[in-house]
């Protein structure tokens, strides 16, 4: 068993093969006025190192009669630290889960938008083809209407000529009938 008051003396005791160590924390030891004392915040690291090296911790609290409230405070602080770390981890995990859900939702909406854009592009191509067909038909109708107008004028001229011939024939027929 070896006394330790700093991380250096803890490392030296472990290296020297001590099977157990004892130390004080802040005001919880007889050498509380010494400049080499661990703090409540050091407890977790000391326990981790000793556990890793299979070294026992004994007589952590000296002079307990005067310092029991400090010991209770130390345990409560460890519990609060652990609880707040767990709460922080849960909060961070929840945040990452929400981010992941939002990312999935954004990806899904992006895919849906791509489908809509592709569908609109197809519809747009159909509209353009329809406009081109209508435009070509209008050009053809315009070309034929001009031809139709010209033919109509020509037919009117022929009808007028035929009408004149019929009238001329009718006059000649009357003239022949009156001579007979």
């Amino acid at each position: 068993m070896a006394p330790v008051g700093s991380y250096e003396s803890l490392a030296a005791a472990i290296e020297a093969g001590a099977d157990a160590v004892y130390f004080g924390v802040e005001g919880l030891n007889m050498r509380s006025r010494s400049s080499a004392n661990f703090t409540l915040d050091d407890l977790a690291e000391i326990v981790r190192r000793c556990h890793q090296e299979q070294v026992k911790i004994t007589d952590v609290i000296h002079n307990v009669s005067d310092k029991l409230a400090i010991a209770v405070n130390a345990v409560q602080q460890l519990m609060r630290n652990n609880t707040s770390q767990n709460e922080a981890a849960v909060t961070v995990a929840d945040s990452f889960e929400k981010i992941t859900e939002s990312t999935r939702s954004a990806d899904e909406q992006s895919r849906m938008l791509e489908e809509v854009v592709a569908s609109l592009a197809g519809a747009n191509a159909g509209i353009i083809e329809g406009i081109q067909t209508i435009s070509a038909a209008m050009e053809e109708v315009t070309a034929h209407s001009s031809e139709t107008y010209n033919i109509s004028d020509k037919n009117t001229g022929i009808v007028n000529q035929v009408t004149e011939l019929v009238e001329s024939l009718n006059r000649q027929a009357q003239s022949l009938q009156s001579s007979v």
Side-chain angles (χ1 to χ4, degrees), residues 145-166:
S145 70
S146 180
E147 287 176 22
T148 302
Y149 181 75
N150 290 339
I151 290 172
S152 176
D153 275 352
K154 198 175 185 182
N155 285 343
T156 301
I158 292 172
V159 167
N160 287 340
Q161 287 175 354
V162 168
T163 303
E164 286 175 17
L165 284 173
V166 167

Side-chain angles (χ1 to χ4, degrees), residues 1 14 19 29 31 43-44 49 54 69-70 80 83 87 98 109 118 131 142 144 147 158 173-175:
M1 181 177 344
I14 291 171
D19 62 341
N29 65 57
R31 295 181 297 153
L43 280 177
R49 289 183 187 189
Q54 298 179 349
I70 295 172
R80 276 193 303 273
T83 300
E87 288 171 358
K98 288 176 184 174
Q109 290 174 358
I131 290 171
T142 302
H144 289 300
E147 287 176 22
I158 292 172
Q174 281 178 356
S175 171

Side-chain angles (χ1 to χ4, degrees), residues 1 6 22 26 39 47 60 96 120 130 159:
M1 181 177 344
S6 66
Y22 65 94
E26 293 179 348
T39 66
V47 170
V60 173
F96 277 118
L120 290 175
V159 167

Side-chain angles (χ1 to χ4, degrees), residues 86-168:
N86 287 343
E87 288 171 358
V90 167
T91 300
V92 168
D94 287 347
S95 296
F96 277 118
E97 187 173 327
K98 288 176 184 174
I99 289 168
T100 301
E101 288 173 16
S102 295
T103 302
R104 277 191 217 121
S105 176
D107 286 345
E108 183 177 323
Q109 290 174 358
S110 175
R111 280 191 294 279
M112 289 171 56
L113 184 59
E114 286 174 3
E115 289 174 10
V116 168
V117 167
S119 175
L120 290 175
N124 191 30
I127 290 170
I128 290 171
E129 185 178 322
I131 290 171
Q132 289 171 341
T133 301
I134 291 170
S135 179
M138 286 179 66
E139 286 177 15
E140 196 171 314
V141 166
T142 302
H144 289 300
S145 70
S146 180
E147 287 176 22
T148 302
Y149 181 75
N150 290 339
I151 290 172
S152 176
D153 275 352
K154 198 175 185 182
N155 285 343
T156 301
I158 292 172
V159 167
N160 287 340
Q161 287 175 354
V162 168
T163 303
E164 286 175 17
L165 284 173
V166 167
E167 286 175 2
S168 172

Side-chain angles (χ1 to χ4, degrees), residues 39-77:
T39 66
L40 293 174
D41 293 332
D42 293 325
L43 280 177
E45 179 62 19
I46 295 167
V47 170
R48 187 193 67 75
R49 289 183 187 189
C50 288
H51 179 71
Q52 182 178 355
E53 300 297 328
Q54 298 179 349
V55 174
K56 294 178 186 173
I57 300 172
T58 62
D59 299 329
V60 173
I61 303 172
H62 295 283
N63 201 10
V64 173
S65 61
D66 294 337
K67 310 295 182 179
L68 188 56
I70 295 172
V72 170
N73 184 35
V75 171
Q76 288 173 339
Q77 184 172 346

